[in-house]
Amino acid sequence: MGRNGQQAQLRELTERIHNCRADELEYYRSILDLSRAQRTAIVEGDTDALARATDEKGRLISLIDAIDLGIAGLLDEVAGIAGVHSHACIHPDHVAAAAAVALTPIGGCALNARIATVMAEILEAERANQELLEQAIIGVHEELKQIDAGGKAVRAYWGRGGETPPPASTIDDNA
């Protein structure tokens, strides 16, 4: 294959890599939105919404993993054509954006910098969610202690009079 053919093939591969990275960025943004939705669900005690968001995040992570495998294959093709072992983004929009803000993102691609930024935000949101969940677990643990203590008090009350407590089915929880 001639030099022009190789250049055309490299441009095509670069565009495909760029499109894959752009898709990844959108998936990461969706994961960030879901992390924020999880925070709301935790605060509101909405376990169904929390489970749905968690499941959707898992699905998106699987899609990102598949894209990463595709990108690895594309990078292998680039390496085979160009004889290099790493891909430097030559997509015009990203090279210009990186130069304009004096960035030196991973691989020279501004998309990588945006992805890294969103990933950092996701990690922060997840840390905050973890804190909220730990607080909720402590709260539930304290409530369970109080319920247990109340049950013991009821059993002691009924036991002192020589009477037996009524069967659980006769206790009106709505009273």
Side-chain angles (χ1 to χ4, degrees), residues 133-144:
L133 283 171
E134 288 171 0
Q135 291 171 359
I137 289 169
I138 289 169
V140 168
H141 183 68
E142 291 302 316
E143 287 178 25
L144 288 174

Side-chain angles (χ1 to χ4, degrees), residues 17 20-21 24 65-79:
I17 291 168
C20 289
R21 292 279 192 230
E24 275 188 319
D65 288 344
I67 289 172
D68 283 340
L69 286 174
I71 289 172
L74 293 171
L75 292 174
D76 286 345
E77 286 185 54
V78 167

